[in-house]
C-alpha cells in the first residue's frame, strides 16, 4: 500500500476529512467550470460578432448534447468506484487492466456518439421545434461538435481514473490549457475568418483534443495506472463492475437530460429571444451545479474507499461534510448571481428582450439551485457503497416523470407564461432530493449495521 500512498494525491482512509475533501473537490469544480467556459466562450464570442439567431443556435444544443453523452459519461463513475474499491481493499495489482478497460469503453463510446450525432442532429432539432431561422446553424454546430466526441469521452474517463486515486489537479491543468486555446481559436475563427458557429464548434473540438492528450500522458506516467501493453487485459469482471455502478449513474443523467430536452422544446416555442436568454442564464446555474457535483464526486470516491476498508463511521462523516459544504457554496453563489443578474447576463448578450428572459430564469430557478445538493450528495454516497440503481430510479420518478407531466398538463394551461414552465425545476429538485435522502438513510443504516454485526 505504500506505493499507492506515494502516488496518491489524497489519502482518503486516514486522518481528518474536511481539508482533504475540500482539496479534492475544488479542482473538480474548477475543471467543470472551465469545461463550461468552453461553451460560454462560444456563446460570448458569437454574441459579440454575430446576431441572436447564431447565439440561439449554440444555446439550443445544450440539452440535446447532454442527453446523448450522459449515459456514457455516467459509466466513468463506475470506473472511479471500481478503482477506489481496489485501493480500499489494498488490491492494486490489476488496476492497470481496469484502466485499459475504461479507456476502451471511452473510445468505443466516443466513436458511437460521433456517428449518432452526425445522423440525428437535424431530425432531433426539428422534433425540439427549433425555429427554421436557427435550424441550419444549430445542426451545423452540432455535427462539428460531435466530431470531437472521442476526445470528450477519453478525457472524462481519464479524469475519472485520476480522481479514483485522488488526483483532481491534473484534469484542471489540462482544461486550463485547453480553455486558453479555445478562447484564442474562437476569436481567430469567428472575428478573423468569419466562420460563425462552425468556428466556435471547431475551436471546441481542437481544445478537447489537447485536454485529452494531457490527461492520457499523466495516466501513462503513473506506475499504478499505466497501461502495460502485453500485460493489461480487458476482463469481463471489470466490465461487469464498471457497468453495475456506471449504467444507473448514466441513466440518471439521461433522465435529467431527457426531461430538459422536453422543456427546451417548450422554451423554443417562445422564440429565439427566449432561447438565447434562457441559455445565457443557464450557464450560471451550471457554474453552481459544478460545485455541487464536485462534492458529490468526493462523496463517491471517499465513501467508496472507506466502505471497502470497513471504515463505516468515516463514511458517515463523508456524507455530512460533503452535504454541508455543497449547501454552503451553492447558497452563497446563488444569491450572488441573482443579485448581480443583469450585470452578469450582459457578458453574453445586450439584447433587452433576451436579458428579461434570462432574469426570469435567475429568479425562479437559480435561486433554488441548492436543492440539488440533497439528491446529488446522498446519491453519491450510495453509489460509492455499491447502490447505484436506486438513485437512478428515484430520479426517474421524481424528476423526469414529474417534469413531463407538468409540461403536458399544467404548462398547457399557462402556455404563454414563461415562469410557469421553468418553475418545475425547483419543484422536481425538492421532490427528488427528499426521495433520495430517505433512501440514503434507510439503506446506509441497514448496510453499516449488517457489516458491523458480521464483523
Amino acid at each position: 500500500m505504500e506505493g499507492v500512498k506515494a502516488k496518491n494525491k489524497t489519502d482518503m482512509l486516514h486522518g481528518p476529512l474536511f481539508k482533504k475533501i475540500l482539496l479534492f473537490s475544488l479542482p473538480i469544480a474548477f475543471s467543470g467550470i472551465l469545461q463550461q467556459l468552453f461553451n460560454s466562450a462560444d456563446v460570448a464570442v458569437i454574441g459579440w460578432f454575430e446576431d441572436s439567431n447564431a447565439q440561439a443556435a449554440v444555446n439550443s444544443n445544450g440539452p440535446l448534447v447532454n442527453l446523448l453523452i450522459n449515459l456514457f459519461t455516467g459509466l466513468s463513475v463506475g470506473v472511479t468506484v471500481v478503482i477506489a474499491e481496489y485501493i480500499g481493499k489494498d488490491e492494486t495489482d490489476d488496476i492497470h487492466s481496469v484502466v485499459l478497460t475504461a479507456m476502451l469503453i471511452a473510445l468505443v463510446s466516443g466513436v458511437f456518439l460521433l456517428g449518432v450525432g452526425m445522423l440525428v442532429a437535424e431530425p432531433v432539432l426539428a422534433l425540439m421545434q427549433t425555429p427554421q431561422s436557427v435550424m441550419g446553424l444549430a445542426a451545423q454546430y452540432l455535427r462539428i461538435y460531435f466530431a470531437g466526441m472521442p476526445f470528450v469521452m477519453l478525457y472524462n474517463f481519464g479524469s475519472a481514473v485520476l480522481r479514483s486515486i485522488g488526483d483532481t489537479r491534473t484534469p484542471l491543468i489540462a482544461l486550463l490549457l485547453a480553455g486558453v486555446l479555445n478562447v484564442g481559436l474562437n476569436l481567430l475563427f469567428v472575428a478573423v475568418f468569419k466562420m460563425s458557429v462552425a468556428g466556435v464548434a471547431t475551436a471546441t473540438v481542437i481544445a478537447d483534443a489537447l485536454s485529452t492528450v494531457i490527461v492520457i500522458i499523466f495516466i501513462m506516467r503513473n506506475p499504478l495506472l499505466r497501461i502495460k501493453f502485453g500485460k493489461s487485459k480487458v476482463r469481463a469482471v471489470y466490465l461487469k463492475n464498471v457497468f453495475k455502478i456506471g449504467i444507473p449513474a448514466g441513466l440518471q443523467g439521461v433522465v435529467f437530460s431527457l426531461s430538459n430536452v422536453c422543456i427546451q422544446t417548450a422554451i423554443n416555442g417562445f422564440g429565439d429571444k427566449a432561447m438565447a436568454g434562457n441559455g445565457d442564464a443557464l450557464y450560471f446555474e451550471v457554474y453552481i451545479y459544478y460545485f455541487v457535483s464536485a462534492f458529490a464526486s468526493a462523496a463517491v470516491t471517499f465513501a467508496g474507499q472507506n466502505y471497502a476498508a470497513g471504515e463505516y463511521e468515516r463514511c458517515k462523516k463523508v456524507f455530512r461534510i460533503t452535504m454541508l459544504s455543497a449547501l454552503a457554496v451553492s447558497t452563497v453563489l446563488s444569491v450572488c448571481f441573482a443579485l448581480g443578474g443583469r450585470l452578469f447576463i450582459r457578458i453574453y448578450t445586450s439584447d433587452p428582450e433576451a436579458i428579461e428572459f434570462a432574469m426570469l430564469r435567475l429568479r425562479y430557478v437559480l435561486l433554488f439551485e441548492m436543492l440539488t445538493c440533497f439528491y446529488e450528495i446522498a446519491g453519491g454516497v450510495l453509489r460509492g457503497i455499491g447502490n447505484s440503481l436506486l438513485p437512478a430510479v428515484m430520479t426517474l420518478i421524481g424528476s423526469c416523470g414529474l417534469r413531463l407531466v407538468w409540461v403536458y398538463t399544467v404548462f398547457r394551461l399557462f402556455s404563454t407564461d414563461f415562469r410557469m414552465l421553468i418553475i418545475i425545476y425547483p419543484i422536481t429538485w425538492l421532490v427528488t432530493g427528499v426521495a433520495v435522502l430517505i433512501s440514503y438513510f434507510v439503506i446506509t443504516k441497514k448496510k453499516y449495521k449488517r457489516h458491523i454485526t458480521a464483523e
Side-chain angles (χ1 to χ4, degrees), residues 12 68 86 100 165 167 178 181 199 215 218 256 319 327 329 373 381 387 394 417 443:
M12 304 179 193
L68 292 174
Y86 277 118
L100 173 63
I165 65 165
D167 183 2
L181 176 64
V215 165
F218 273 85
F256 267 116
F319 171 76
L327 282 170
V329 173
C373 298
V381 174
N387 289 77
M394 293 293 101
D417 191 338
I443 290 173

Side-chain angles (χ1 to χ4, degrees), residues 238-442:
Y238 304 144
L239 290 169
K240 178 183 176 182
N241 291 338
V242 169
F243 289 155
K244 178 183 176 182
I245 302 296
I247 288 180
L251 287 174
Q252 178 175 322
V254 169
V255 164
F256 267 116
S257 297
L258 178 61
S259 61
N260 288 339
V261 166
C262 294
I263 295 177
Q264 182 66 49
T265 301
I267 290 171
N268 293 351
F270 286 91
D272 64 321
K273 305 295 185 183
M275 293 167 65
N278 180 79
D280 293 340
L282 182 59
Y283 286 117
F284 297 100
E285 290 175 38
V286 173
Y287 295 146
I288 299 170
Y289 179 74
Y290 275 126
F291 281 97
V292 177
S293 180
F295 284 111
S297 294
V300 171
T301 311
F302 278 76
Q305 284 200 23
N306 282 282
Y307 184 74
E311 299 286 347
Y312 308 123
E313 287 301 317
R314 286 178 69 84
C315 289
K316 295 177 184 178
K317 290 180 181 178
V318 167
F319 171 76
R320 291 195 295 269
I321 291 171
T322 51
M323 178 65 78
L324 291 174
S325 299
L327 282 170
V329 173
S330 59
T331 300
V332 170
L333 289 177
S334 294
V335 172
C336 290
F337 284 143
L339 290 176
R342 293 185 184 277
L343 177 63
F344 290 124
I345 293 299
R346 287 185 181 277
I347 295 173
Y348 300 106
T349 183
S350 58
D351 187 296
E353 193 174 347
I355 290 174
E356 290 308 313
F357 277 107
M359 290 303 299
L360 288 175
R361 176 115 193 180
L362 292 182
R363 296 188 192 111
Y364 287 87
V365 182
L366 177 138
L367 269 175
F368 301 94
E369 188 74 30
M370 71 287 298
L371 295 175
T372 62
C373 298
F374 298 130
Y375 63 81
E376 286 292 343
I377 302 301
V381 174
L382 286 175
R383 283 190 285 272
I385 65 174
N387 289 77
S388 189
L389 181 59
L390 190 59
V393 173
M394 293 293 101
T395 302
L396 175 63
I397 298 171
S399 205
C400 183
L402 186 53
R403 288 180 188 179
L404 292 176
V405 170
W406 183 274
V407 169
Y408 293 108
T409 56
V410 178
F411 174 64
R412 285 197 172 184
L413 300 175
F414 305 92
S415 58
T416 60
D417 191 338
F418 186 72
R419 294 169 297 180
M420 288 303 296
L421 173 62
I422 59 176
I423 195 65
I424 190 57
Y425 281 106
I427 292 174
T428 53
W429 292 340
L430 180 61
V431 171
T432 306
V434 170
V436 177
L437 271 176
I438 292 172
S439 302
Y440 163 80
F441 286 115
V442 171

Side-chain angles (χ1 to χ4, degrees), residues 176-244:
L176 180 61
L177 295 175
V180 172
L181 176 64
N182 186 64
V183 172
L185 291 177
N186 275 338
L187 293 170
L188 176 65
F189 292 157
V190 177
V192 179
F193 295 154
K194 309 297 181 183
M195 293 172 62
S196 189
V197 298
V200 294
T202 303
T204 299
V205 171
I206 295 172
D208 286 338
L210 175 63
S211 62
T212 300
V213 169
I214 294 172
V215 165
I216 290 175
I217 288 174
F218 273 85
I219 288 174
M220 295 304 293
R221 290 177 59 187
N222 188 302
L224 177 65
L225 304 175
R226 182 187 301 134
I227 296 173
K228 301 175 182 178
F229 296 103
K231 294 184 179 179
S232 302
K233 298 179 180 179
V234 177
R235 291 177 177 156
V237 65
Y238 304 144
L239 290 169
K240 178 183 176 182
N241 291 338
V242 169
F243 289 155
K244 178 183 176 182

